[in-house]
Amino acid sequence: MVHAYILIQTEVGKAAAVAAEIAGISGVTTAEDVTGPYDVIVRAEADNVDLLGQLVVARIQSVDGITRTLTCPVVHL
């Protein structure tokens, strides 16, 4: 299982709606609107890196109101 944090920038005033829509996507464990340089932080999981990439590109990035994403896979050192 691969886990990642996805940092999301949204259009002005869209953070809450984006977080709510993303929270309903399969593979997303949490989606919260936050303050700072990013507007929403998502924790997601998938069986492998390829499926994680598909989740981000095909499902999350297609949500209306998102302007940019940054995916940060979790590593265990």
Side-chain angles (χ1 to χ4, degrees), residues 6-61:
I6 304 153
L7 311 177
I8 299 173
Q9 292 178 335
T10 68
E11 296 172 5
V12 174
K14 299 274 186 157
V18 167
E21 186 171 345
I22 289 173
I25 296 174
S26 178
V28 171
T29 56
T30 60
E32 299 177 298
D33 44 321
V34 297
T35 61
Y38 294 93
D39 303 305
V40 177
I41 297 179
V42 172
R43 181 162 169 113
E45 62 185 17
D47 288 334
N48 58 53
V49 173
D50 290 334
L51 290 175
L52 178 65
Q54 290 175 16
L55 171 65
V56 172
V57 173
R59 304 289 310 279
I60 293 174
Q61 288 182 348

